[in-house]
Amino acid sequence: MNEKQKPEMHPVQTPGFNQRSSRLTSTVTLRAYEVYCHVYAPQPAMIDLEGRGCRGGFSTGELIAFLYARTFPREEWRRRVDEVFEGMENL
């Protein structure tokens, strides 16, 4: 795969690691962001790579919650995200 075909990378907050070094393809993070927007509201700083206020991306726990919820019908996303956060420890 050449440089032009590489997917955009987004930061991921990982415990114990430098957040700048932890990254995930936008293919995955934008799916999580879709759920985030539905459950909460759009927050462009979540995926801003131009340095205009990005909070450093999703945490690993948030990725788990949002991607899990996305496997269910949209009307269940809020409940499924809450389900994951309530059952999560040390993430």
Side-chain angles (χ1 to χ4, degrees), residues 69-88:
R70 196 170 186 283
T71 67
F72 293 92
R74 184 178 291 261
E75 61 271 8
E76 293 184 31
W77 286 0
R78 159 76 68 180
R79 183 168 55 90
R80 298 302 182 160
V81 166
D82 291 344
E83 176 184 326
V84 173
F85 286 142
E86 289 169 9
M88 198 176 279

Side-chain angles (χ1 to χ4, degrees), residues 11-82:
V12 175
Q13 298 174 20
T14 51
F17 292 96
N18 178 343
Q19 73 183 29
R20 293 196 186 277
S21 64
S22 299
R23 300 171 73 70
L24 190 59
T25 66
S26 61
T27 305
V28 176
T29 59
L30 291 177
R31 282 178 171 79
Y33 183 67
E34 178 185 5
V35 177
Y36 177 92
C37 290
H38 177 79
V39 171
Y40 301 111
Q43 184 183 8
M46 293 289 294
I47 56 173
D48 172 25
L49 299 180
E50 302 300 321
R52 298 178 306 254
C54 181
R55 63 158 235 193
F58 290 111
S59 70
T60 51
E62 289 172 322
L63 284 169
I64 291 167
F66 298 133
L67 293 174
Y68 168 76
R70 196 170 186 283
T71 67
F72 293 92
R74 184 178 291 261
E75 61 271 8
E76 293 184 31
W77 286 0
R78 159 76 68 180
R79 183 168 55 90
R80 298 302 182 160
V81 166
D82 291 344

